């Protein structure tokens, strides 16, 4: 290293040695001149060139330095240093650096001369390096190289007041390296120039005792070059970027451009920091400290300034804690400083040894903003994320094709250069364990902002694997568990952040990272908690969660289809959890589900196959030749796309559980109803004609507004929807109307529907004057009316899958075919021949059985044949195949559906029917081959062809009764099980079920009222006997228990079916009705479930009289809580519908309920029993009563006490007791809810079948004045009414079928006696193992009383005693759920879609039947249906069979 110039003289004694002569400088021409006699520039350049050449060739150790004195003096003169010619200055600089090299370590210049020399270097020569095209660029480079190699630049630090020169040097070098002052040619700076500049700056930093603060600002500002968004504001604390050697690299229009490599100026600053870590650590620490001190002083000053005014107040920050925060300007500087720390950790972590402790000190700061910055910064530092920000999210495209595979997914992650790749040079947790531990503690911060930022940070740490360094297994599990907890945080902002974090993971990370602690069915795992958020109370959380899980499943569909067990176990249940939310019955959530379905689960554009040409919609311009492709290729591509999409559809349905599958089919099933209303809406829009009408203006406007109101009620923001739809009508764009019709038309293939949706979307967006939110209103209805699921393009692929018995999607394909036949059979029109051909191939014979899956194909064809019989093929081969199915089909339902098709399609059906009847009757023998198929055929023929069947009526009835029903062939001891599943019941039980159907179908087909009554009496008596005797017909009482449970279930269901017809309903006496109602409290769960489900279906279709509503209220003591809660929600939906229709069905039915309870087998007037019966009344009030209708319910309760019991006069006191009990409960219910009940002004008649007038006024007065309630009970009622029942809460697990531990019975009140119920209590004997749900048998008393249920619920997160949870959950954890979204819960939409009746035939299909133009009445009875007619329509009602139903429970 050269020594610096010195003025001291030293006396040195040197031994005399022979003198050595060194070469002397030969140049002796003058370089200076006197004023007025300047040397010519050319000559001067010649001399300087010669001098430079000679000096360059001299060696430092072999030169006579005295010979350089004269030249040095002249070179340092003002004439050369300030010469106006660039070349003179350049060559002078070259000579000067050589002089400094040769004379090192002693510079032959004074301090003043050195300052002038370095001024030349720094202000003129070195800045000129920015222009490589400069004529003297070579000389400039020579100067630079010499200063760097000889390190003569050190002399600059000894010059007095050199700070300005040092600052100028740093700024110039960073300007040069950044390319901010390039030559006109755009030539790049040579790499050796950048290297030498870095060397010079490193030397200065290393040797300078102190650097000016501005120089430190310039150095650190270079690290902002990787952040395009901060370029304009980066640099020193005053924000003056150009003074810090940094200029914007991109403008606002180039914000999407990304740097592909590190900028040279960035590398130069990085080199400085890494070469001088100790000094730079001191400077960086001071820089960071200054920023914090400035912000802190501002905070203190601000707090002091506002002390008096705010002594009793707190500034509104995140949660209202802490003192007043820094100003916005201070926060801006703090953010820049923290962003700098992120980048410095990536580039040179050694310089942060003083700054990281300061950063740690910010974590517990009182001010939220400081804690937030510290938390975010530490998280990004651990993740290796710098100023450029986090990396782009990985590719997660659900519509991509081929679908994503785990083996190749890593290659699909996009990369935008080195700046976007997180990189940490060392493990932060290992290098700074205490700081990392302090960072982890922020997960429990009191501020939701901090917890939210912490959640985002740990997500980035997991995604980046701590900046590529990796995490230990314990550290990774800690973060994974922390993320799982944050998905359950009490603040919605934290939950949203957690959901977004998970959605930012790639597919591989989700499977192998987040899936390490369990899948969506594992309670407490990240994926399970994430899926639970689709049911979150806050809509914002639901939106994020629904989109996230939908996208995850969409990406995982490829691996699920491939049978990857790991992916299936982790993610396979996602669709089930999504469609379970349909039962919440929330308008916002319903719209969200549809978006997720058609954007993630089944994306409209899936598969994203690029075609050369595309199908053109009618009315769309075709173009001229360009983009065409052979028709054959296009059809093949369309077929492939349809098959791929169908596979995704079947895959989605395959793994749905029963409840979710029902919800999914309900969403698809709404298409028929919505399309009818939409067609009416489009017609009214065209009649409206943009507001210009010639006639009927008032009527058209009224009808249009009614339709718009119907649509608006389906959306969360009805006011906005109304305005948007009215605007759509005023647009009067006929092309838009036609596009919507394309979407609804059964003739449209999927490609047509998809293109219509895309074109309509573009047209609405581009329409002049179109509201910004109109598309948000139109899109949900496009999804609802478009044939996107049940499209004719999917049918061939579905049929193909249904044929492949080795394919796991076969059964699902059959199921979908069945749904299409039920909901949209016209879709089969183009493919019915193919289906019929399939039936011909699989037709059975006497020796060959058919494929069991064929029954679904038969049902699909039966549904189509019932609607479009003329479109069915009539070839003899096909009809013979149907005859074979009718005689030999297996299971028996195949024979039933074959008969339906045969009767509908055959031109000479009488011949076929007669032949079938003879073959079925002749030599009929129980147990013979195919005898069940014969019974099923006879059952259907009795219903569809009553005229032909009457000719063989006697033998058919004999077979049904004498041969089947009245004989018991299975011994009672053969099976003691109370219930057997469908595949377990024996042939005798099946035969008896079909025999009962034969008898009932005979009644249903009768057309004469008088004859019907005569025929019905013995049949109804038989059914009542089965209900009363619990399925026993034998005098020997030897019917097996499993047969009895099946027989009483089918008897109860057949009674419901008969009561849909008025003449048969009249034959069901009130006492028989009461016995039928008790089936809802049967000891077998499956009997209760199937009976009540059938009841709710018929009531939802308004096919039963209103008295049947009373039965559902007997479920107050249903032990299966899930089933009970579903029924409560169904009751709420029906009550809401009747309230909207201004009906009083649910209020008037209360008198019938009291009558039913008065005749209940468990009723008694003692205190405990009445306390138990109060739960029935409360079970009625909670879903039905409102402040508006409570007075009417109270009036009904009073009216009951003004009549006597018409069924049995000795039960009148029971009625009066229940009337007093109901009135007392209603009054207390009013007080608890804070309602004000006024006297009901109207009158209401009581049912004459149940209530009779009293004999005299005196008797009435006596009854009215008498209280029938025990006094002790009145004291207990307050506690009984106040005790809210345990309602279903959100669960963090997805195992609803797992029985929960029993829950202890709570006392009704403090004054209640600890009295146990006799005989009614369940047995407490220990059982060796937990029975399956299908084996659960509950005693009758167990289902009717409080405290008898032994089935409890697992305590969930929502039930924890946490005050912060109020924001996330309802106060009591209640979540209103909708049980049955199609048949039953269409009531929620204020329009009843045309439901299929029990025989597979829909009602009136006109738009008026489903739209608001014809509102249903409030009676809920047969007056709204075709049920008054004695006859029926084609087919039986196996359409509504459920998995848990018996095979013939229709």
């Amino acid at each position: 290293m050269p020594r610096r110039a010195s003025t001291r003289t030293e006396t040195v004694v040197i031994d005399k040695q022979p003198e050595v002569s060194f070469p002397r400088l030969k140049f002796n021409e003058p370089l200076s001149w006197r004023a007025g006699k300047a040397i010519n520039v050319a000559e001067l350049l010649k001399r300087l060139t010669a001098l430079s050449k000679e000096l360059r060739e001299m060696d430092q150790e072999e030169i006579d330095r005295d010979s350089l004195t004269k030249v040095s003096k002249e070179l340092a003169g003002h004439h050369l240093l300030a010469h106006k010619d660039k070349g003179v200055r350049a060559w002078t600089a070259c000579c000067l650096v050589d002089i400094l090299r040769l004379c090192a370590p002693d510079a032959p210049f004074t301090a003043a001369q050195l300052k002038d020399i370095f001024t030349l270097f720094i202000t003129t020569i070195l800045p000129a390096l920015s222009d490589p095209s400069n004529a003297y660029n070579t000389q400039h480079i020579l100067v630079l190289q010499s200063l760097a190699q000889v390190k003569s630049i050190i002399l600059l630090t000894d010059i007095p007041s050199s700070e300005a020169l040092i600052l100028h040097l740093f700024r110039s070098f960073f300007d040069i390296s950044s390319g901010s002052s390039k030559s006109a040619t755009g030539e790049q700076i040579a790499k050796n120039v950048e290297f030498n500049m870095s060397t010079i700056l490193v030397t200065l930093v290393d040797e300078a005792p102190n650097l000016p603060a501005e120089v430190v600002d310039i150095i650190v500002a270079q690290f902002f070059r990787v952040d395009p968004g901060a370029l304009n504001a980066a640099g020193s604390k005053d924000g003056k970027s150009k003074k810090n050697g940094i200029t914007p690299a991109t403008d606002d229009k180039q914000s999407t451009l990304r740097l592909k490599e590190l900028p040279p100026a960035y590398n130069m600053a990085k080199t400085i920091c890494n070469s001088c870590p100790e000094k730079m650590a001191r400077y960086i620490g001071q820089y960071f400290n200054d920023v914090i001190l400035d912000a802190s002083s501002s905070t203190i000053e601000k707090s002091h300034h506002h002390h008096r005014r705010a002594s009793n107040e707190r500034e509104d920050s995140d949660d209202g804690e802490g003192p007043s925060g820094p100003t916005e300007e201070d926060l801006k500087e703090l953010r820049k400083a923290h962003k700098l720390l992120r980048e410095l950790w990536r580039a040179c972590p050694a310089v942060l040894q003083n700054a990281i402790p300061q950063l740690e000190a910010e974590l517990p700061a009182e001010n939220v903003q400081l804690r937030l910055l510290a938390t975010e910064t530490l998280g990004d530092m651990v993740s290796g994320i710098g100023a450029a920000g986090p990396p782009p999210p990985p590719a997660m495209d659900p519509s991509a094709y081929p679908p994503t595979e785990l083996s190749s997914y890593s290659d699909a992650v996009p990369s935008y250069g080195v700046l976007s790749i997180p990189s940490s040079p060392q493990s932060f947790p290992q290098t700074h364990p205490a700081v990392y531990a302090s960072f982890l503690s922020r997960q429990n911060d009191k501020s939701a902002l901090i917890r939210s930022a912490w959640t985002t940070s740990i997500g980035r740490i997991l995604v980046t694997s701590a900046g590529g360094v990796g995490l230990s297994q314990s550290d990774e599990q800690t973060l994974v568990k922390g993320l799982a907890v944050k998905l359950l945080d009490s603040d919605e902002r934290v939950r949203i952040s957690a959901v977004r974090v998970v959605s930012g993971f790639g597919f591989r990370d989700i499977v192998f990272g987040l899936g390490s602690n369990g899948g969506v069915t594992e309670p407490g795992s990240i994926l399970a908690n994430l899926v639970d958020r689709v049911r979150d109370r806050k809509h914002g959380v639901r939106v994020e969660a629904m989109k996230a899980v939908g996208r995850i499943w969409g990406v995982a569909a490829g691996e699920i289809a491939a049978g990857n067990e790991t992916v299936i176990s982790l993610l396979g249940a996602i669709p089930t959890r999504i469609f379970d939310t349909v039962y919440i019955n929330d308008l916002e959530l319903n719209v969200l589900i549809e978006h997720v379905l058609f954007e993630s689960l089944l994306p409209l554009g899936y598969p994203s196959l690029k075609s050369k040409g595309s199908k053109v919609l009618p009315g769309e311009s075709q173009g001229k030749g360009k983009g065409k492709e052979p028709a054959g290729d296009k059809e093949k591509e369309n077929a492939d796309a349809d098959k791929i999409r169908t596979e995704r559809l079947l895959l989605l349905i395959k793994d749905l559980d029963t409840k979710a599958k029902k919800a999914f089919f309900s969403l698809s099933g709404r298409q028929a109803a919505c399309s009818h209303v939409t067609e009416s809406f489009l017609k009214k829009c065209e009649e409206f004609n943009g507001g210009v009408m010639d006639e009927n203006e008032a009527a058209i406007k009224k009808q249009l507004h009614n339709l718009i109101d119907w649509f608006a009620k389906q959306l969360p923001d009805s006011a906005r929807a109304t305005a948007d739809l009215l605007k759509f009508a005023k647009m009067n764009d006929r092309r838009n109307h036609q596009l919507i019709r394309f979407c609804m038309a059964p003739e449209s293939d999927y490609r047509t529907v998809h293109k219509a949706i895309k074109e309509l979307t573009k047209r609405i967006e581009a329409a002049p004057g179109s509201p910004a939110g109109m598309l948000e209103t139109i899109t949900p209805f496009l999804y609802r009316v478009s044939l996107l699921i049940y499209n004719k393009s999917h049918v061939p692929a579905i049929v193909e899958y249904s044929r492949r018995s080795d394919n796991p999607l076969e059964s699902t394909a059959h199921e979908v075919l069945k749904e299409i036949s039920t909901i949209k059979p016209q879709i089969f029109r183009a493919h019915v021949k193919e289906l019929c051909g399939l039936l011909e191939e699989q037709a059975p014979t006497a020796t060959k059985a058919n494929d069991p899956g064929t029954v679904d194909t038969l049902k699909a064809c039966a549904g189509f044949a019932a609607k479009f019989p003329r479109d069915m093929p009539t070839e003899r081969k096909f009809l013979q195949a149907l005859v074979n199915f009718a005689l030999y089909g297996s299971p028996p339902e195949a024979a039933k559906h074959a008969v339906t098709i045969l009767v509908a399609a055959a031109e000479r059906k009488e011949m076929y029917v007669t032949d079938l009847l003879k073959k079925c009757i002749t030599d009929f023998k129980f147990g013979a081959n195919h005898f069940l198929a014969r019974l099923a055929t006879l059952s259907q023929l009795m219903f569809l062809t009553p005229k032909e069947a009457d000719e063989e009526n006697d033998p058919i009835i004999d077979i049904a009764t004498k041969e089947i029903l009245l004989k018991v062939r299975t011994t009672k001891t053969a099976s003691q099980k109370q219930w057997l599943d469908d595949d377990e019941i024996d042939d005798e039980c099946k035969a008896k079920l079909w025999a009962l159907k034969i008898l009932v179908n005979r009644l249903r087909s009768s057309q004469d009222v008088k004859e019907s009554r005569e025929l019905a009496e013995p049949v109804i008596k038989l059914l009542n006997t089965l209900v009363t005797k619990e399925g026993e017909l034998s005098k020997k009482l030897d019917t097996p228990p499993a047969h009895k449970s099946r027989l009483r279930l089918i008897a109860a269901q057949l009674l419901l079916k008969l009561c849909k017809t008025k003449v048969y309903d009249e034959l069901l006496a009130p006492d028989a009705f009461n016995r039928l109602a008790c089936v809802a409290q049967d000891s077998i769960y499956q009997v209760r479930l199937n009976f009540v489900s059938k009841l709710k279906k018929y009531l939802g279709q308004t096919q039963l009289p209103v008295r049947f509503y009373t039965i559902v209220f007997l479920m107050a003591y249903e032990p299966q809580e899930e089933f009970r809660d579903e029924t409560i929600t169904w009751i709420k939906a029906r009550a809401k519908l009747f309230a909207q229709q201004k009906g009083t069905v649910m209020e008037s039915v209360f008198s019938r309920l009291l009558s039913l309870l008065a005749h209940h087998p468990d009723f008694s007037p003692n205190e405990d029993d009445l306390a138990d019966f109060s739960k029935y009344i409360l079970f009625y009030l909670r879903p039905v009563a409102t402040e508006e209708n409570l007075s009417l319910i109270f009036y009904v309760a009073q009216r009951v006490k003004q009549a006597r019991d018409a069924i049995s006069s000795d039960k009148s006191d029971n009625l009066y007791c229940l009337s007093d009990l109901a009135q007392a409960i209603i009054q207390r219910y009013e007080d608890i809810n804070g309602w004000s009940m006024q006297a009901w002004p109207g009158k209401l008649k009581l049912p004459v079948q149940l209530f009779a007038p009293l004999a005299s006024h005196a008797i009435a007065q006596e009854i009215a004045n008498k209280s029938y309630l025990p006094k002790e009970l009145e004291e207990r009622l307050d506690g009984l009414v106040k005790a809210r029942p345990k309602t279903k809460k959100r669960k963090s697990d997805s195992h609803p079928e797992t029985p929960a531990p029993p829950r202890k019975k709570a006392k009704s009140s403090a004054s209640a006696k600890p009295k146990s119920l006799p005989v009614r209590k369940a047995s407490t004997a220990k059982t060796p193992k937990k029975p399956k749900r299908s084996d659960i048998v509950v005693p009758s008393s167990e289902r009717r009383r409080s405290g008898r249920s032994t089935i409890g619920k697992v305590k969930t997160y929502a039930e924890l005693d946490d005050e912060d949870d109020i924001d996330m959950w309802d106060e009591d954890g209640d979540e209103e759920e909708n049980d049955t979204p199609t048949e039953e819960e269409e009531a929620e939409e204020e329009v009843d879609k045309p439901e299929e009746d029990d025989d597979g035939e829909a009602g009136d299909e006109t738009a008026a039947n489903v739209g608001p133009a014809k509102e249903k009445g409030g009676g809920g009875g047969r007056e709204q249906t075709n049920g008054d007619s004695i006859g029926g329509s084609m087919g039986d009602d196996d359409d509504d069979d459920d998995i848990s139903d018996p095979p013939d429970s229709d």
Side-chain angles (χ1 to χ4, degrees), residues 133 135 142 155 255 283 414 663 665 818 897 946 968 984 1016 1135 1147 1170 1186 1199 1241 1256 1267 1284 1324 1339 1358:
S133 62
L142 287 175
L155 298 172
S255 58
Y283 296 138
F665 286 142
K818 181 174 68 175
H897 297 312
V968 178
E984 296 177 327
E1147 294 83 0
L1170 288 177
T1186 63
R1199 287 280 287 120
S1256 65
S1267 174
R1284 299 279 304 177
T1324 57

Side-chain angles (χ1 to χ4, degrees), residues 880-941:
Q880 184 59 44
L882 294 176
V883 171
N884 286 356
F885 273 111
L887 294 175
Y888 314 117
S890 176
E893 286 78 13
K896 184 187 91 168
H897 297 312
V899 171
T900 302
I901 302 171
L902 185 65
V903 172
E907 295 178 355
R908 300 171 59 187
K909 67 177 182 180
E910 295 82 3
M911 179 188 72
Y912 287 102
V913 169
T914 303
D915 185 55
L916 282 176
L917 285 170
K918 289 182 179 179
K919 288 182 179 180
C920 290
I921 295 171
T922 304
D923 298 329
F924 179 88
K925 184 179 180 181
F926 177 87
N929 291 335
H930 314 295
F931 82 103
L932 289 177
R934 293 187 182 188
L935 288 174
T937 298
L938 289 174
S939 171
Q940 198 70 349
L941 289 175

Side-chain angles (χ1 to χ4, degrees), residues 1106-1125:
V1106 296
R1107 64 170 172 167
F1108 283 88
Y1109 275 100
T1110 58
I1111 299 177
V1112 295
F1113 295 107
L1114 293 184
M1115 294 186 64
Y1117 288 108
E1118 169 58 45
Q1120 296 292 334
E1121 293 191 10
E1122 183 179 359
F1123 183 32
R1124 184 180 69 242
D1125 293 340

Side-chain angles (χ1 to χ4, degrees), residues 953-1002:
N953 183 66
D954 291 341
I956 293 175
I957 298 301
D958 288 343
I959 289 173
T961 55
K962 296 179 181 179
E963 290 293 325
I964 304 297
L965 287 174
L966 299 180
K967 291 184 179 181
V968 178
R969 296 175 173 86
T970 304
T971 60
K972 188 173 182 180
T973 57
S975 174
Q976 293 300 323
K977 286 187 176 181
Q978 298 290 325
W979 178 267
L980 293 176
D981 292 333
D982 296 350
D983 55 351
E984 296 177 327
I985 58 176
D986 54 37
D987 287 349
E988 182 184 5
C989 185
K990 292 179 182 178
K992 289 184 176 181
L993 300 181
W994 283 110
L996 288 173
K997 288 184 181 181
I998 289 175
L999 300 178
V1000 170
N1001 282 345
R1002 182 190 181 199

Side-chain angles (χ1 to χ4, degrees), residues 959-1077:
I959 289 173
T961 55
K962 296 179 181 179
E963 290 293 325
I964 304 297
L965 287 174
L966 299 180
K967 291 184 179 181
V968 178
R969 296 175 173 86
T970 304
T971 60
K972 188 173 182 180
T973 57
S975 174
Q976 293 300 323
K977 286 187 176 181
Q978 298 290 325
W979 178 267
L980 293 176
D981 292 333
D982 296 350
D983 55 351
E984 296 177 327
I985 58 176
D986 54 37
D987 287 349
E988 182 184 5
C989 185
K990 292 179 182 178
K992 289 184 176 181
L993 300 181
W994 283 110
L996 288 173
K997 288 184 181 181
I998 289 175
L999 300 178
V1000 170
N1001 282 345
R1002 182 190 181 199
L1003 302 181
R1004 296 173 64 203
S1005 63
S1006 177
Q1007 302 294 325
D1008 183 79
V1009 175
K1010 182 178 180 181
E1011 180 187 11
S1012 297
R1013 289 182 181 275
E1014 295 176 356
L1015 295 175
E1017 288 182 1
V1019 176
I1020 292 180
K1021 181 180 179 181
L1022 172 65
L1023 296 176
N1024 284 332
T1025 301
L1026 285 170
V1027 171
T1028 304
K1029 295 186 177 182
E1030 296 188 344
E1032 183 64 79
L1033 277 180
S1034 173
K1035 295 181 179 180
K1036 298 180 181 180
L1037 305 179
D1038 55 354
T1039 305
H1043 289 199
K1044 290 169 61 178
S1045 60
R1046 286 281 182 172
L1047 288 173
R1048 65 176 177 268
L1049 170 61
I1050 191 66
Q1053 290 181 324
L1054 290 176
L1055 282 172
L1056 293 178
K1057 180 172 291 186
L1058 289 174
C1059 287
K1060 295 193 297 181
T1061 305
K1062 184 177 181 181
V1063 64
Y1064 301 135
D1065 176 58
E1066 292 173 350
L1067 295 177
L1068 186 66
D1071 57 340
F1073 174 85
N1074 292 341
R1075 291 193 295 270
L1076 174 65

